[in-house]
């Protein structure tokens, strides 16, 4: 109450006329849990496993290749075909469509540098191997080293930036060629960072004790936040500044695939990861200490992994509908209703015990949605990262 | 070894089991008078949380890369363990280390690797508490054909 009084006083003093919502009286425990979802953005550090991480020529090359359809077998599918910058770097489809239609929803790529596992099943432990997969995947781009080398040599800028980044010309016979390309595309994706959201402004204002600034955050979002941290127990999995603990869970989204078959989720992901030549235990990891391979080295497969999927970040959701690994929920309201009506029979017998149908009232559904929406930036996203200028490469 | 303590201070965990700590100190005080202690024993505050079961004393301490003193949520960390018995460093071997969330009925997503460092000291790698809440650490110690299990409750925020 005192806090409210102070906010009111400040308002009078500054003679502001705009209407402001009340700031709920959060308990000290709630305040510290709110603070744990920031600050944002996180500090950026280069990826030790990628020697061209942060390298200007590589970032420039990676950006050009991300939008390059000639890497694909039919010369029409680029990374950006599915990861559209205007849609939070995803495609808005239920499941992805490359050379053929896939079975999973395309994830957005904002803040992708901060992930521990890549893909809904965590089938990759690093960003460059996750970027190599679609180039070679017959269902997505169906590319090859020979095709990639041709593309690089076809334009002075591509060829030159490749030489600058890797110190040698692009050669189809070089076993490093595709990995290098993937590392350059990864270096560019590492620069995709979403700006602060209304939630971040609220969180920062609360942390500095600036009640007046905090009061700009809508009351519905504040109630939704309280639900998120409290009864909903959402933050148990959607934790930290990225709103994910980076691990896997089963929240009862069906894992059947049309026309028949199942998506084994994390169980298949672990198999794929350990069989992958380009994982962090392999020779292409540029971190000589192998400290970045701790997670992969210590992985423990469990029965419960079957049907588990990665806990997604909740930032930028307003840009990335539809939701879930199979794109089965079209709106955030449907997501809130899913957690409200949760079918416990669908959950794993040996799965998480914290999920219970929340039985939300219509008002609580609205509040939760208002909160989730407040995790997206209010301002338009900056245009796809302006590529840095690199000396001595002139486009033809 | 002890220089780790400076680099990786341990604080901020709310240790339960104040009782067992007191008991451990009593046992150790008794041990001291026998004069047969190894330099590493008895463990002190620099060795972290001190737990006892029967004759065994186990101290453990997280080794954190950053200067923050609490076990972080959803990040990998390592532990350093010191095993002692009243006669000094015992022949006991740290055989297993694991952690579970009893209320959630699941454990960690990672398996630990134990490296003996000599003089009853062990390093445990690959730990990660991937959710906030109540975790139970469990150490399995083998000595003289017997297995002893020591557990410790930790609250992660």
């Amino acid at each position: 109450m005192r806090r409210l009084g102070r906010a009111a006083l400040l308002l009078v003093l500054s003679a502001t006329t705009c209407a402001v919502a009340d700031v709920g009286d959060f308990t000290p425990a709630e305040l510290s849990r709110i603070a744990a979802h920031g600050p944002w953005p996180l500090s950026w550090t280069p990826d030790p496993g990628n020697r061209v991480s942060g390298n200007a020529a590589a970032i420039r090359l990676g950006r050009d290749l991300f939008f390059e359809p000639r890497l694909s077998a039919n010369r029409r599918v680029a990374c950006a075909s599915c990861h559209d910058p205007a849609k939070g770097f995803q495609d808005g489809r239920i499941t992805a469509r490359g050379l053929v239609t896939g079975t999973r929803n395309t994830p957005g790529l904002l803040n992708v540098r901060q992930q521990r596992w890549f893909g809904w099943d965590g089938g990759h432990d690093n960003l460059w191997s996750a970027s190599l997969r679609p180039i070679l995947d017959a269902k997505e781009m169906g590319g090859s080293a020979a095709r990639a080398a041709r593309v690089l040599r076809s334009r002075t800028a591509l060829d030159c930036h490749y030489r600058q980044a890797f110190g040698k010309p692009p050669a189809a016979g070089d076993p490093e060629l595709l990995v290098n390309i993937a590392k350059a595309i990864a270096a560019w994706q590492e620069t995709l960072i979403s700006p602060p959201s209304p939630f971040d402004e609220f969180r920062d204002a609360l942390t500095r004790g600036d009640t007046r600034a905090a009061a700009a955050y809508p009351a519905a979002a504040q109630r939704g936040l309280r639900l998120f941290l409290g009864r909903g127990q959402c933050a148990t999995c959607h934790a930290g500044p990225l709103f994910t603990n980076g691990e896997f869970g089963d929240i009862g989204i069906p894992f059947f695939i049309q026309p028949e078959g199942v998506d084994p989720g994390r169980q298949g992901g672990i198999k794929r990861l350990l069989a992958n030549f380009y994982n962090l235990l392999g020779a292409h990891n540029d971190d000589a200490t192998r400290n970045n391979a701790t997670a992969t080295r210590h992985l423990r497969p469990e029965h419960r992994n079957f049907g588990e999927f990665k806990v997604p970040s909740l930032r930028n959701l307003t840009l990335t509908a539809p939701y879930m690994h199979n794109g089965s929920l079209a709106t955030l309201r449907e997501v809130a209703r899913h957690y409200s009506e949760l079918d416990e029979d669908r959950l794993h017998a040996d799965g998480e015990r914290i999920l219970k149908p929340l039985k939300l009232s219509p008002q609580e559904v609205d509040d939760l949605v208002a909160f989730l929406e407040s995790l997206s930036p209010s301002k338009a996203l900056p245009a796809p990262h302006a590529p840095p200028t690199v000396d001595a490469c002139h486009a033809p | 070894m002890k220089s780790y303590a400076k680099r990786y201070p341990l604080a901020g965990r709310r240790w339960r089991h104040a009782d067992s700590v007191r008991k451990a100190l009593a046992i150790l005080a008794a041990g001291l008078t026998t004069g047969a202690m190894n330099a590493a024993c008895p463990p002190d505050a620099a060795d972290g949380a001190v737990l006892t079961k029967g004759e065994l004393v186990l101290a453990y301490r997280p080794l954190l890369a950053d200067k923050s003193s609490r076990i972080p949520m959803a990040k990998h960390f390592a532990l350093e363990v010191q095993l002692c018995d009243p006669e000094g460093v015992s022949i006991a071997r740290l055989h297993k280390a694991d952690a579970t969330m009893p209320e959630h009925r699941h454990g960690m997503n990672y398996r630990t690797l134990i490296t003996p460092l000599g003089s009853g000291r062990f390093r445990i790698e690959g730990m990660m508490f991937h959710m906030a809440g109540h975790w139970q650490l469990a150490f399995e110690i083998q000595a003289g054909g017997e297995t002893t299990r020591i557990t410790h409750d930790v609250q992660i925020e």
Side-chain angles (χ1 to χ4, degrees), chain A residues 33-68:
Chain A
R33 298 180 71 189
I34 293 170
H37 288 289
W40 188 263
L42 295 167
S43 60
W44 189 90
T45 51
D47 174 0
N50 179 353
R51 70 189 182 287
V52 296
S53 176
N55 173 305
I59 294 172
R60 175 68 209 244
L61 172 67
R63 184 210 174 267
D64 289 345
L65 292 176
F66 190 87
F67 293 94
E68 179 53 82

Side-chain angles (χ1 to χ4, degrees), chain A residues 32 116-117 233 235-237 239-240 244-248 266 294-302 304-305 308 349-354, chain B residues 73-77 97-99 101-114 124-133 157:
Chain A
S32 89
R116 170 164 46 233
W117 302 112
Q233 300 211 59
T236 317
C237 300
T244 169
N245 60 1
E247 292 292 313
F248 300 83
R266 183 58 173 153
T294 303
T296 310
R297 199 180 307 121
H298 291 274
L299 261 181
R300 159 159 57 190
E302 300 268 7
R304 65 177 158 85
N305 295 146
E308 282 186 342
D350 52 356
E352 196 56 62
R353 292 290 111 182
I354 57 172
Chain B
M73 202 258 302
K75 290 207 168 78
H76 281 281
F77 63 94
D98 211 339
M101 290 192 96
E103 289 83 2
H104 295 200
R105 300 210 313 212
H106 65 65
M108 296 192 295
N109 290 342
Y110 300 91
R111 80 175 114 222
T112 57
L113 180 74
I114 301 175
I124 307 171
E125 278 164 307
M127 307 274 312
M128 189 176 95
F129 294 151
H130 64 277
M131 283 179 181
E157 272 148 33

Side-chain angles (χ1 to χ4, degrees), chain A residues 41-390:
Chain A
L42 295 167
S43 60
W44 189 90
T45 51
D47 174 0
N50 179 353
R51 70 189 182 287
V52 296
S53 176
N55 173 305
I59 294 172
R60 175 68 209 244
L61 172 67
R63 184 210 174 267
D64 289 345
L65 292 176
F66 190 87
F67 293 94
E68 179 53 82
R70 291 178 303 153
L71 285 177
S72 68
N74 67 359
R75 303 162 65 90
R76 284 163 63 182
V77 185
C79 307
S81 313
C82 296
H83 298 286
D84 178 354
K87 296 185 177 130
F89 292 89
Q90 50 93 56
D91 51 15
R93 294 176 183 279
I94 292 175
T95 57
R97 191 190 298 162
L99 296 178
V100 299
T101 300
T103 54
R104 289 192 186 154
N105 179 255
T106 306
L109 297 180
L110 289 165
N111 313 317
V112 70
R113 162 76 182 102
Q114 305 293 343
Q115 309 250 12
R116 170 164 46 233
W117 302 112
F118 301 83
W120 282 102
D121 59 5
H124 297 267
D125 60 3
N126 68 80
L127 184 53
W128 41 274
S129 77
S131 305
L132 181 54
R133 181 196 62 85
I135 301 179
L136 297 177
D137 192 326
K139 289 187 192 141
E140 296 195 2
M141 295 168 70
S144 68
R147 185 177 293 278
R150 269 203 308 279
V151 170
L152 287 173
R153 284 197 304 264
S154 72
R155 285 224 183 106
T156 315
L158 297 178
D159 183 82
C160 168
H161 289 137
Y162 184 93
R163 288 168 199 258
Q164 284 182 338
F166 299 103
K168 56 183 173 182
D174 183 349
E176 292 250 288
L177 179 84
L178 283 171
V179 192
N180 286 347
I181 286 180
K183 284 180 176 167
I185 303 179
W188 181 66
Q189 293 171 91
E190 288 173 10
T191 67
L192 307 174
I193 297 164
S194 63
S197 65
F199 167 79
D200 297 307
E201 280 153 27
F202 175 66
R203 180 249 172 225
D204 291 353
L206 280 186
T207 319
R208 356 175 253 278
D210 183 346
T211 343
R212 182 170 169 242
Y217 189 60
Q222 291 188 40
R223 290 192 300 268
L225 168 59
R226 184 167 263 146
L227 193 56
F228 186 87
L229 298 172
R231 188 159 72 87
Q233 300 211 59
C234 314
T236 317
C237 300
H238 297 285
L242 213 54
F243 291 88
T244 169
N245 60 1
E247 292 292 313
F248 300 83
D250 173 3
I251 58 164
I253 301 290
F255 41 75
F256 298 102
I257 315 174
Q258 298 296 333
E260 57 191 39
V262 288
D263 187 335
R266 183 58 173 153
Q267 188 186 67
I270 292 180
K271 283 200 195 120
R272 239 159 34 91
L273 169 73
L274 296 178
N276 190 336
F277 185 65
Y278 299 103
N279 71 26
L280 292 177
L281 301 175
H284 293 284
N285 177 2
D286 294 327
D287 182 353
T289 68
R290 290 291 188 273
N291 284 340
N292 65 347
T294 303
T296 310
R297 199 180 307 121
H298 291 274
L299 261 181
R300 159 159 57 190
E302 300 268 7
H303 287 300
R304 65 177 158 85
N305 295 146
F306 188 90
E308 282 186 342
F309 292 89
K310 192 167 72 177
V311 179
S313 167
L314 301 182
R315 288 190 175 269
N316 313 306
L317 289 171
T318 57
L319 300 169
T320 59
Y323 306 104
M324 305 299 169
H325 74 272
N326 56 2
S328 58
L329 301 182
T331 62
L332 291 175
R333 192 164 299 277
E334 282 182 31
V335 173
R337 288 210 197 97
H338 169 81
Y339 284 107
S340 180
E341 304 306 324
L342 211 65
D343 180 354
E344 280 181 282
D345 294 340
R346 265 205 198 144
L347 296 176
H348 247 287
D350 52 356
E352 196 56 62
R353 292 290 111 182
I354 57 172
L355 286 169
K356 295 262 167 340
L358 292 174
K359 301 288 173 213
L360 303 173
S361 70
Q363 149 111 58
E364 286 174 317
V365 170
D366 289 347
D367 291 346
L368 197 53
V369 170
F371 166 68
L372 292 172
E373 285 174 350
S374 80
L375 302 176
S376 298
S378 44
K379 301 173 197 81
L381 285 180
H385 201 275
T389 8
V390 187

Side-chain angles (χ1 to χ4, degrees), chain B residues 44-68:
Chain B
D44 57 28
D47 295 300
V50 182
L51 319 170
T52 59
K53 183 123 177 209
E55 301 271 86
L56 265 173
V57 183
L58 179 153
Y60 79 89
R61 184 163 58 87
L63 304 178
L64 305 173
D66 57 3
K67 291 254 159 54
S68 82

